[in-house]
Amino acid sequence: MAKILLTGGAGYIGSHTYVELIASGYEVVILDNFSNSHPSVLDRLEVITGAPVIALEGDVLDANFIKDVFAEHTFDAVVHFAAKKAVGESVEQPLDYFQTNCVGFSTLLGVMKDAGVRRVVFSSTATVYGVPDILPLPENHATRPESPYAVNKLVCENLLKQLKTSDDTWSYGILRYFNPAGAHPSSLIGEDPNDIPNNLMPYIAKVATGELARLRVFGDDYDTPDGTGVRDYIHVVDLAKGHVQSLRKLIEQDESHVVNLSTGIGYSVMDMLKSYQAACGKKLEYEIVGRRAGDIDGFWGDPSLARDLLGFKAERGLDDMCKTSWNWVSRRKNN
Ligand code: UD1
């Protein structure tokens, strides 16, 4: 079976992808610097998969370290997650973001090139589209990234395309995620932000556990059915499975692709809050406050290309996202 290097494999989406890769029979080596994750995730992955985890602590910016990893292991492909991901922080720290997200990735690609490893699944974001002209968003929509984070992701996407132009033996799967939510059904892994979360789902989760008093709903005057922002929330396990399908496409058919990982369904902030209340069995406090700068009315993806090319279909609905999130955060809080 193919051997995969999984960078950022201890993170939120990376850890769920690890589980699905192992379940699909891949041999996986995790590389992580634990800058936004905890090594205890590795123990949990061993419990879930019932097998020892091979993990290396290191940074994608450390070319010598990466070279050593490729000298020691013969990889068939890389699934690359290791990156910084907070949009607001990227505005404050554009250099750090460029360094990790773009220079880190190009360092990794350089080592891959020298080692003759030419397949990569890349963790991108639907934020590369910017404000939508049409909904649902298709992959051929214009890209107008607004934040340094989104620009970083587009730079990396373009670098992959340029590499392929220079040498057709490269193949890439660029996966543009919509809004990841939920946790593994084991409740052993999930999203675990250290600080006050910026994103809706982890914020609601902390209101449910009592760590935060109330949700601040950023605006109820959007052009949406209930006036609150609408997004395309996708279960992290579905997202993880999408990576396996992308990888399979590269290994079995050598076919590069750029696809949305989305459900095609939009839910509002109030939909999310109500569904989470049902999942945790508590009333969750909220207040309507002003709009957050840069937010838009509605944003959801066209999932048809991912379905046609990869056979990808998100199977898990909103209830499952909220239930698994609640199970994970309530268990974590009690441990
Ligand atoms: C953000 C990121 C995006 C990333 C995505 C998922 C920005 C501009 N974009 O998108 O790059 O892919 O997260 O990680 O940050 N909301 C509240 N109260 C809160 C938090 C959010 O009302 O405390 C609302 C927002 O106004 C929005 C919705 O909830 O309508 C979703 O927000 P969020 O989870 O931050 O995701 P996005 O803004 O869609």
Side-chain angles (χ1 to χ4, degrees):
M1 204 18 129
K3 187 168 182 179
I4 312 300
L5 177 66
L6 180 64
T7 75
Y12 174 40
I13 307 173
S15 59
H16 288 79
T17 300
Y18 177 85
V19 173
E20 298 306 323
L21 287 169
I22 295 294
S24 301
Y26 291 99
E27 196 181 334
V28 185
V29 175
I30 289 177
L31 188 154
D32 208 300
N33 68 359
F34 302 110
S35 59
N36 194 26
S37 60
H38 199 273
S40 63
V41 167
L42 306 175
D43 302 330
R44 289 154 180 255
L45 290 175
E46 292 196 341
V47 175
I48 295 171
T49 60
V53 168
I54 305 169
L56 308 166
E57 181 170 359
D59 203 296
V60 285
L61 282 161
D62 185 345
N64 287 330
F65 168 72
I66 303 292
K67 275 183 202 152
D68 289 346
V69 173
F70 277 79
E72 194 179 329
H73 300 271
T74 306
F75 295 115
D76 297 280
V78 173
V79 179
H80 179 62
F81 287 100
K84 291 173 178 279
K85 63 169 186 177
V87 174
E89 189 181 67
S90 79
V91 176
E92 287 153 22
Q93 303 170 13
L95 282 174
D96 289 349
Y97 267 68
F98 188 85
Q99 186 70 9
T100 300
N101 294 359
C102 299
V103 179
F105 190 41
S106 68
T107 303
L108 175 65
L109 289 170
V111 177
M112 287 175 65
K113 181 169 181 276
D114 292 344
V117 181
R118 298 274 196 278
R119 295 186 194 101
V120 54
V121 174
F122 177 66
S123 162
S124 191
T125 170
T127 315
V128 294
Y129 295 121
V131 179
D133 296 329
I134 48 163
L135 291 168
L137 275 151
E139 287 80 353
N140 61 6
H141 187 282
T143 47
R144 293 187 289 256
E146 290 183 359
S147 64
Y149 165 75
V151 171
N152 291 168
K153 290 293 183 180
L154 196 58
V155 165
C156 293
E157 288 194 6
N158 288 334
L159 184 55
L160 285 170
K161 292 175 186 171
Q162 289 156 1
L163 266 180
K164 180 149 184 73
T165 303
S166 73
D167 173 356
D168 196 41
T169 62
W170 282 92
S171 61
Y172 56 78
I174 292 171
L175 307 180
R176 292 177 174 163
Y177 315 149
F178 282 68
N179 294 47
H184 193 262
S186 64
S187 306
L188 289 169
I189 52 173
E191 191 169 18
D192 197 5
N194 293 330
D195 305 326
I196 295 180
N198 299 307
N199 297 123
L200 180 65
M201 277 295 272
Y203 201 102
I204 294 180
K206 282 196 189 269
V207 176
T209 57
E211 292 163 84
L212 292 168
R214 67 180 62 81
L215 174 69
R216 289 172 310 143
V217 177
F218 297 142
D220 66 351
D221 57 352
Y222 283 104
D223 184 15
T224 62
D226 67 13
T228 65
V230 168
R231 299 291 185 273
D232 187 333
Y233 297 91
I234 179 165
H235 198 298
V236 65
V237 172
D238 284 325
L239 211 49
K241 287 178 185 286
H243 291 73
V244 178
Q245 289 169 311
S246 172
L247 189 61
R248 205 174 278 145
K249 191 80 178 169
L250 300 186
I251 292 176
E252 292 172 10
Q253 293 168 30
D254 192 28
E255 205 176 306
S256 296
H257 47 275
V258 182
V259 298
N260 291 334
L261 291 184
S262 63
T263 69
I265 302 168
Y267 288 108
S268 73
V269 175
M270 294 314 288
D271 291 334
M272 300 304 287
L273 189 68
K274 278 182 208 145
S275 181
Y276 215 99
Q277 287 186 151
C280 70
K282 299 185 218 183
K283 177 158 173 17
L284 302 177
E285 298 299 324
Y286 71 93
E287 63 178 322
I288 310 284
V289 299
R291 291 184 176 199
R292 182 173 66 178
D295 270 352
I296 54 176
D297 307 84
F299 196 82
W300 60 93
D302 183 342
S304 54
L305 186 65
R307 182 197 60 213
D308 296 346
L309 275 183
L310 308 181
F312 174 79
K313 185 171 185 324
E315 310 268 351
R316 293 157 186 79
L318 189 54
D319 292 350
D320 194 340
M321 293 180 219
C322 293
K323 195 78 211 165
T324 52
S325 165
W326 170 242
N327 289 344
W328 151 247
V329 294
S330 50
R331 177 174 174 152
R332 184 197 57 189
K333 184 136 189 285
N334 294 331
N335 277 328

